[in-house]
Amino acid sequence: MSSISILGLGAMGTALARTLLKNGHTVTVWNRTRSRAEPLAGAGAKIAESPAEAIAASELTILCLVDYPAARAVLEQAQEALAGRDLLNLTNGTPGDARELGTWLAARGAIYLDGGIMAIPPMIGGAGALILYSGSRALFDRHSSTLEALAESRHLGEDEGLASLYDIALLSGMYGLFSGFLHASALVTSAGYGGKAVDFLPLLLPWIEAMSGTLPDLAGKIDSGMHGRDVVSNIAMQKIALENIVRASEEQGVAPDFMRPMLRLAGDRVDSGGHGDDISAVVEVIRKRK
């Protein structure tokens, strides 16, 4: 069993610590507010008095803090303890944040792995939890059994920013799903009809599942750039559908805020001559606005 230190004991940091303790690891914890660490001490964890003490105590240190500036501030208190140490940062941020922290740690002799947690705290240590990693492959391999105890593990590459990039991309897909569901629910529950979102779900869920079957084809078109290949419903037709969604929303007293951006992007592609393309061609408009 390994010795692991956890810096940051919010809901997720606490879940990580408890899972590691349950799996027989030696766990040292540190939190700015010591009272959050005391329940873990009762479960067998050691409490460090400083970040430097926590890092020095273990083979691997896991940071799980509110953001990268907070992680950097904690590590700056422990610079004398960083050389030669394995550090895993599971703080949510951007690819640029991860690369910047990786460069800062490398200058101080630390070995760095970044991670993106695709789970909520109760899922840690159980089925369905996934953590994406990028950065030092050697560190990942060295602690693979420890990482697998927390969640399914996937190493995406040596670029420290990849885990954050894929984390943000997965969240983008999730929020796109949520926005569609919220808009659809607003429509079916709009004034004068008395519909309920729970009654609408038996119609919506099979429809979403059926439409998700088109994603492999769209992904192939995005990667190849061949948006005009085997088009069933071209973007000019889909633009009309989007216009009707916006008009119907306004008629029902529903704000079309979620739909207007997609309508605008589809319209830009049509106006540039891509009326015969599939909806995948919207990605080209998004890329041009980088």
Side-chain angles (χ1 to χ4, degrees):
M1 294 295 103
S2 302
S3 56
I4 316 293
S5 290
I6 308 287
L7 305 183
L9 297 174
M12 184 60 76
T14 298
L16 296 171
R18 289 195 179 279
T19 299
L20 292 169
L21 285 166
K22 190 184 300 182
N23 281 272
H25 294 283
T26 299
V27 177
T28 299
V29 296
W30 175 87
N31 194 72
R32 183 175 297 137
T33 305
R34 182 187 171 90
S35 60
R36 286 194 176 182
E38 289 167 355
L40 290 168
K46 303 174 183 178
I47 300 179
E49 298 301 324
S50 68
E53 181 183 328
I55 292 170
S58 300
E59 301 164 56
L60 173 67
T61 295
I62 300 175
L63 291 91
C64 191
L65 297 156
V66 64
D67 55 25
Y68 277 76
R72 174 75 170 264
V74 168
L75 291 171
E76 285 177 346
Q77 300 175 44
Q79 295 193 52
E80 71 278 8
L82 295 177
R85 293 292 177 173
D86 287 351
L87 293 176
L88 165 60
N89 185 28
L90 296 179
T91 299
N92 186 259
T94 71
D97 291 334
R99 294 180 185 120
E100 182 179 352
L101 184 59
T103 299
W104 187 86
L105 285 168
R108 286 151 182 81
I111 301 94
Y112 181 56
L113 188 67
D114 195 82
I117 303 176
M118 309 312 301
I120 58 176
M123 295 172 65
I124 296 300
L130 168 67
I131 301 180
L132 306 172
Y133 297 99
S134 59
S136 172
R137 179 74 200 207
L139 189 160
F140 177 81
D141 290 341
R142 196 156 47 241
H143 300 286
S144 59
S145 60
T146 299
L147 301 181
E148 285 292 338
L150 299 174
E152 179 186 348
S153 302
R154 295 191 191 180
H155 189 271
L156 301 173
E158 294 278 342
D159 180 344
E160 294 100 336
L162 285 173
S164 290
L165 179 66
Y166 276 68
D167 180 355
I168 294 297
L170 288 166
L171 290 175
S172 297
M174 179 190 76
Y175 282 114
L177 174 65
F178 287 172
S179 66
F181 165 69
L182 294 171
H183 187 84
S185 296
L187 284 172
V188 299
T189 61
S190 57
Y193 289 88
K196 294 184 177 180
V198 293
D199 296 332
F200 180 60
L201 274 180
L203 290 172
L204 180 63
L205 290 175
W207 172 246
I208 289 176
E209 184 177 357
M211 289 300 96
S212 69
T214 67
L215 295 183
D217 177 61
L218 295 179
K221 289 172 179 174
I222 290 169
D223 288 343
S224 68
M226 298 174 65
H227 301 289
R229 182 190 64 199
D230 301 327
V231 177
V232 175
S233 178
N234 66 50
I235 198 169
M237 294 175 59
Q238 297 204 46
K239 176 175 175 285
I240 293 172
L242 289 163
E243 288 171 343
N244 288 335
I245 292 171
V246 169
R247 288 198 303 117
S249 299
E250 291 171 338
E251 288 175 7
Q252 293 301 121
V254 170
D257 297 28
F258 282 138
M259 296 295 114
R260 284 194 185 279
M262 189 64 171
L263 173 58
R264 184 183 68 250
L265 292 166
D268 287 352
R269 185 64 178 184
V270 170
D271 291 345
S272 68
H275 58 277
D277 289 339
D278 210 330
I279 195 69
S280 58
V282 167
V283 77
E284 306 297 348
V285 183
I286 297 170
R287 284 172 174 164
K288 287 179 180 178
R289 293 187 175 185
K290 181 178 177 182

